[in-house]
Amino acid sequence: MAKNISRNMLKFLVVILAFQDVAAGVAGSIMADIIKAFPDYDPTIVMLVATFPGLIQIVPALFYGRLTKVFKKKTLLFIGLTLFIIGGTLPTFMDNLPLIIAMRGLLGLGVGITMPLSIDVITDFFDGRERDFLIGFGTSTIACIGAIFFQLGGGILADSFGWQYGFLTYLFPIWILALTIVYLPEPEKKQVSEATGSKTKVKLPKAIYWVCLGQVFYSALIFGYVTNISVVIQGDKLGNATEAGLAISIFTFGTLLAGFVFGKVKHALPNFYLPVGVFVTGLGMVICYFSPNLAMIFIGSVIGGAGMGIGLPGVFTKVSELTPVGAPPQVGLVVVGQGLGGIIGPFGFQAIQNIFNQDIGRFPLAISSVGLILLALIWAVTVMKPKKDLEVTLNS
């Protein structure tokens, strides 16, 4: 049973749930070693170790709203973190690639539960500026700190003891599981007001689905930067592999910093914080595309990262605002959109490159730039101030 805790302790407990949101990146930092360990498999198959969690996390995230009706949120937290820890660490003791990929699937199931849950519990306990700050701080700052920790920790363990030991970093969230199970109170279920009647079915605004669809494109378009910035830096002889990795780290750092100010940006631009975040992400891509030197790429990277630090929590916040009281939480749909974007991104870029007979490098950055700016304009027009009134339909 959860103990009585201070408000500051409650804030700490809800934001640390985002620490492992992007922890699947451990496999990416040791992928070269994993490919060498399984020479009999095609590298594309081996890369499933890194990509499979993102695919599988879509499944529980898609049904997250229904899961909250069946299970208490602390039960979901226990299930999600347990799957994450077990699926994450067991590959340490395996030398069978299909089994390792299966364990990565378990990890993906855990992330598909804990990622929307990390937003949901914030909206359960907080509202107004407190909620906005915590969503931005959690999804941007804490998640980025977690990503850096898992990537560096996994790489250090792999270099010191062997690639399999990199997976031991997934034991770290045990302390998060212990603290939250003991101290985090079970959120009270939100009820529809009596004025709507007891037999009502809450109808979701269509804007929720449009925002989540936009999230698919947002995630896919960011893919153009992540996979091509190192090609630009090294291909144009602007720097070496270390400096290419530094550019991505600077992008992550920009996202981390923006998490601190998300609440203030939302308060200053209550109707346009989401398109502004996406536009700034696109602006960073534009600077990277036209950059003649490494310094300009670093500037573009930090600006693009800062935009993502506003845009990503902005999507979660917008969906939370649009969800009527009494309706199941819909933040799982954002996670679904994010996962789908990561999956279709490579194929979408490849298709456009084939149409224009272009190669990797700066051209995908141009696609990202144009796409993100267009998405920002579309969102600015179509996703305005959330509706305050409930949309309900009476059951017959």
Side-chain angles (χ1 to χ4, degrees):
M1 184 176 179
K3 301 178 181 180
N4 292 328
I5 57 174
S6 68
R7 194 165 182 82
N8 286 335
M9 180 62 172
L10 180 59
K11 291 178 181 179
F12 172 73
L13 291 174
V14 296
V15 296
I16 61 170
L17 292 179
F19 188 82
Q20 69 283 341
D21 279 358
V22 287
V26 166
S29 64
I30 59 176
M31 183 51 61
D33 293 325
I34 301 176
I35 291 174
K36 290 179 182 178
F38 297 100
D40 295 335
Y41 287 89
D42 186 285
T44 304
I45 300 298
V46 181
M47 287 181 184
L48 284 173
V49 175
T51 59
F52 197 52
L55 174 63
I56 295 299
Q57 76 182 41
I58 293 173
V59 179
L62 183 62
F63 299 102
Y64 176 76
R66 295 183 183 181
L67 289 174
T68 60
K69 290 185 175 181
V70 178
F71 300 100
K72 291 183 177 180
K73 290 182 180 176
K74 287 189 68 173
T75 303
L76 285 176
L77 173 61
F78 178 81
I79 294 171
L81 281 177
T82 300
L83 289 172
F84 178 91
I85 293 169
I86 292 174
T89 56
L90 281 184
T92 306
F93 313 101
M94 297 176 176
D95 56 9
N96 181 288
L97 183 62
L99 279 178
I100 291 175
I101 293 173
M103 290 303 101
R104 298 290 289 175
L106 279 183
L107 180 139
L109 289 175
V111 173
I113 295 172
T114 59
M115 188 181 290
L117 182 66
S118 66
I119 305 297
D120 195 18
V121 293
I122 291 175
T123 61
D124 281 328
F125 291 114
F126 301 95
D127 54 25
R129 290 199 188 185
E130 277 188 315
R131 177 201 63 194
D132 298 336
F133 170 77
L134 292 172
I135 289 178
F137 187 67
T139 59
S140 294
T141 304
I142 298 300
C144 284
I145 292 173
I148 294 169
F149 167 82
F150 281 106
Q151 289 169 0
L152 289 179
I156 291 170
L157 288 174
D159 289 339
S160 301
F161 306 105
W163 66 268
Q164 287 169 301
Y165 289 90
F167 293 104
L168 284 179
T169 51
Y170 289 111
L171 284 173
F172 186 78
I174 285 178
W175 71 273
I176 298 177
L177 176 61
L179 272 181
T180 50
I181 290 299
V182 173
Y183 292 103
L184 184 67
E186 176 67 29
E188 296 181 3
K189 290 187 177 294
K190 297 178 181 179
Q191 302 293 335
V192 181
S193 64
E194 294 182 3
T196 63
S198 59
K199 293 184 178 181
T200 60
K201 180 180 178 181
V202 180
K203 182 180 179 181
L204 298 176
K206 292 180 181 179
I208 287 179
Y209 302 108
W210 286 115
V211 173
C212 293
L213 178 62
Q215 174 67 2
V216 175
F217 291 100
Y218 189 35
S219 299
L221 289 166
I222 291 172
F223 177 88
Y225 170 86
V226 174
T227 56
N228 287 276
I229 196 65
S230 62
V231 177
V232 172
I233 291 174
Q234 293 180 272
D236 292 358
K237 301 188 184 306
L238 302 179
N240 54 31
T242 300
E243 290 165 327
L246 181 59
I248 296 177
S249 298
I250 289 173
F251 185 94
T252 303
F253 186 67
T255 304
L256 187 156
L257 291 179
F260 285 100
V261 299
F262 169 73
K264 293 182 178 179
V265 172
K266 181 181 179 299
H267 178 69
L269 303 167
N271 296 339
F272 296 101
Y273 61 92
L274 178 53
V276 164
V278 178
F279 180 82
V280 173
T281 311
L283 179 61
M285 303 301 102
V286 171
I287 294 173
C288 288
Y289 174 75
F290 287 107
S291 58
N293 52 55
L294 191 62
M296 287 299 293
I297 284 183
F298 286 166
I299 292 172
S301 295
V302 74
I303 291 174
M308 184 175 169
I310 301 299
L312 182 57
V315 175
F316 280 109
T317 302
K318 180 63 70 175
V319 169
S320 297
E321 287 179 330
L322 290 168
T323 303
V325 175
Q330 301 301 311
V331 288
L333 294 179
V334 180
V335 179
V336 172
Q338 190 171 329
L340 287 175
I343 293 167
I344 69 173
F347 301 102
F349 276 92
Q350 187 61 55
I352 298 174
Q353 286 167 213
N354 290 341
I355 291 172
F356 290 94
N357 195 27
Q358 296 289 326
D359 204 351
I360 58 175
R362 290 190 185 262
F363 184 72
L365 286 178
I367 297 173
S368 292
S369 302
V370 174
L372 287 166
I373 291 172
L374 285 176
L375 178 61
L377 295 175
I378 292 170
W379 261 346
V381 173
T382 60
V383 184
M384 303 294 286
K385 193 173 182 180
K387 295 178 181 179
K388 296 295 184 181
D389 55 318
L390 292 179
E391 295 185 51
V392 297
T393 56
L394 294 177
N395 292 330
S396 55

